[in-house]
Amino acid sequence: MEKSLVLIKPDAIQRGLAGTIITRLEKQGLKLVALKMLHMNKALAKRHYAIHADKSFFNDLVDYISSAPIIAIVFEGEKAVEVIRNIMGATDPAKAEAGTIRADFGLDIERNTIHGSDSAETAEKEIKLFFSEDEIFG
Ligand code: IDP
Ligand code: MG
């Protein structure tokens, strides 16, 4: 069964949206197989977002994601990556489809409440950054 990494970002934790976001994903039939709250340090933030290292927003993004605690989750399900990306909505909340998590709760293109892996291959790499094998109950 496919797995995907979800991060509930600092802006969502601070506004008390963690439970709402987890519930939405669970109601879609995704199975929660790993979860932890942590404060991402800058080294982890840079590794997680390494693909964006040359972007103008990279330093801001690293500062933001490491500014306060996040919740990291592994969800499992059929086409988990695609299902989660659809429920998340577009990166920019202003462009996200109505009813998606980012459209409903996102503050701006950076503080958009949630991360979800963009492919099964990326998911495998991302999950390893946050969880060891014995922390995943899938
Ligand atoms: P995604 O999260 O929808 O996959 P990516 O393009 O991979 O979007 O960007 C990663 C994260 O970087 C976004 O979720 C958002 O927090 C931030 N980000 C993306 N584009 C911008 C931008 O143009 N300005 C500021 N932050 C951005
Ligand atoms: Mg991405």
Short mmCIF file of all heavy atoms in Angstrom, two decimals, residues 48-49 51-52 85 88 91 102 115-118 122 126, ligand 2:
data_model
loop_
_atom_site.label_atom_id
_atom_site.label_comp_id
_atom_site.label_asym_id
_atom_site.label_seq_id
_atom_site.Cartn_x
_atom_site.Cartn_y
_atom_site.Cartn_z
N HIS A 48 14.81 18.56 3.87
CA HIS A 48 13.44 18.27 3.42
C HIS A 48 13.09 19.09 2.17
O HIS A 48 12.41 18.59 1.27
CB HIS A 48 12.45 18.55 4.55
CG HIS A 48 11.03 18.40 4.15
ND1 HIS A 48 10.46 17.18 3.86
CD2 HIS A 48 10.05 19.32 3.96
CE1 HIS A 48 9.19 17.36 3.51
NE2 HIS A 48 8.93 18.65 3.56
N TYR A 49 13.53 20.35 2.14
CA TYR A 49 13.20 21.24 1.02
C TYR A 49 14.38 21.44 0.06
O TYR A 49 14.42 22.42 -0.68
CB TYR A 49 12.69 22.58 1.54
CG TYR A 49 11.24 22.54 2.01
CD1 TYR A 49 10.88 22.92 3.30
CD2 TYR A 49 10.22 22.13 1.15
CE1 TYR A 49 9.56 22.89 3.72
CE2 TYR A 49 8.90 22.09 1.56
CZ TYR A 49 8.56 22.47 2.84
OH TYR A 49 7.25 22.43 3.24
N ILE A 51 15.15 20.39 -2.76
CA ILE A 51 14.81 20.60 -4.17
C ILE A 51 14.57 22.08 -4.49
O ILE A 51 14.69 22.52 -5.63
CB ILE A 51 13.59 19.73 -4.58
CG1 ILE A 51 13.48 19.63 -6.09
CG2 ILE A 51 12.30 20.24 -3.96
CD1 ILE A 51 12.62 18.50 -6.57
N HIS A 52 14.26 22.86 -3.45
CA HIS A 52 13.98 24.30 -3.63
C HIS A 52 15.16 25.19 -3.26
O HIS A 52 15.00 26.40 -3.14
CB HIS A 52 12.76 24.70 -2.80
CG HIS A 52 11.49 24.01 -3.20
ND1 HIS A 52 11.01 24.04 -4.49
CD2 HIS A 52 10.61 23.26 -2.49
CE1 HIS A 52 9.89 23.34 -4.55
NE2 HIS A 52 9.62 22.85 -3.36
N ARG A 85 -2.71 15.00 -2.09
CA ARG A 85 -2.48 16.23 -2.86
C ARG A 85 -3.82 16.85 -3.27
O ARG A 85 -3.97 18.07 -3.25
CB ARG A 85 -1.64 15.94 -4.11
CG ARG A 85 -0.21 15.50 -3.87
CD ARG A 85 0.73 16.54 -3.35
NE ARG A 85 0.93 17.68 -4.21
CZ ARG A 85 1.92 18.58 -4.02
NH1 ARG A 85 2.78 18.45 -3.01
NH2 ARG A 85 2.03 19.60 -4.81
N MET A 88 -5.35 18.52 -0.25
CA MET A 88 -4.58 19.70 0.14
C MET A 88 -4.95 20.91 -0.70
O MET A 88 -5.07 22.02 -0.19
CB MET A 88 -3.08 19.44 -0.09
CG MET A 88 -2.42 18.60 0.97
SD MET A 88 -0.80 17.98 0.41
CE MET A 88 0.01 19.43 -0.22
N THR A 91 -0.73 24.92 -4.14
CA THR A 91 0.25 25.53 -3.22
C THR A 91 -0.22 26.89 -2.71
O THR A 91 -0.11 27.19 -1.52
CB THR A 91 1.61 25.69 -3.94
OG1 THR A 91 1.97 24.43 -4.51
CG2 THR A 91 2.69 26.15 -2.98
N ARG A 102 -6.03 23.80 1.91
CA ARG A 102 -5.34 25.09 1.74
C ARG A 102 -6.30 26.22 1.41
O ARG A 102 -6.12 27.35 1.86
CB ARG A 102 -4.26 24.94 0.67
CG ARG A 102 -3.03 24.20 1.22
CD ARG A 102 -2.11 23.77 0.11
NE ARG A 102 -0.78 23.43 0.59
CZ ARG A 102 0.17 22.91 -0.20
NH1 ARG A 102 -0.08 22.68 -1.47
NH2 ARG A 102 1.35 22.62 0.29
N HIS A 115 1.96 20.12 4.24
CA HIS A 115 2.84 19.54 3.22
C HIS A 115 2.36 18.14 2.92
O HIS A 115 1.98 17.40 3.83
CB HIS A 115 4.28 19.48 3.73
CG HIS A 115 5.17 18.60 2.88
ND1 HIS A 115 5.78 19.06 1.73
CD2 HIS A 115 5.48 17.28 2.98
CE1 HIS A 115 6.45 18.05 1.18
NE2 HIS A 115 6.28 16.96 1.91
N GLY A 116 2.43 17.73 1.66
CA GLY A 116 2.19 16.34 1.28
C GLY A 116 3.18 15.96 0.19
O GLY A 116 3.44 16.77 -0.72
N SER A 117 3.74 14.78 0.27
CA SER A 117 4.72 14.32 -0.73
C SER A 117 4.13 14.42 -2.13
O SER A 117 2.93 14.23 -2.32
CB SER A 117 5.11 12.87 -0.45
OG SER A 117 5.55 12.71 0.88
N ASP A 118 5.00 14.67 -3.13
CA ASP A 118 4.48 14.86 -4.49
C ASP A 118 4.61 13.64 -5.38
O ASP A 118 4.16 13.66 -6.53
CB ASP A 118 5.12 16.10 -5.14
CG ASP A 118 6.62 15.96 -5.34
OD1 ASP A 118 7.16 14.86 -5.14
OD2 ASP A 118 7.26 16.97 -5.72
N THR A 122 9.35 10.35 -3.84
CA THR A 122 9.65 11.43 -2.89
C THR A 122 9.18 11.04 -1.50
O THR A 122 9.86 11.30 -0.51
CB THR A 122 8.92 12.73 -3.31
OG1 THR A 122 9.12 12.95 -4.69
CG2 THR A 122 9.44 13.93 -2.54
N GLU A 126 11.25 11.22 1.93
CA GLU A 126 10.82 12.17 2.97
C GLU A 126 10.49 11.44 4.27
O GLU A 126 10.83 11.93 5.36
CB GLU A 126 9.60 12.96 2.49
CG GLU A 126 9.93 13.94 1.37
CD GLU A 126 8.73 14.76 0.91
OE1 GLU A 126 7.57 14.42 1.28
OE2 GLU A 126 8.94 15.73 0.17
MG MG B 2 6.37 20.19 -3.16
#
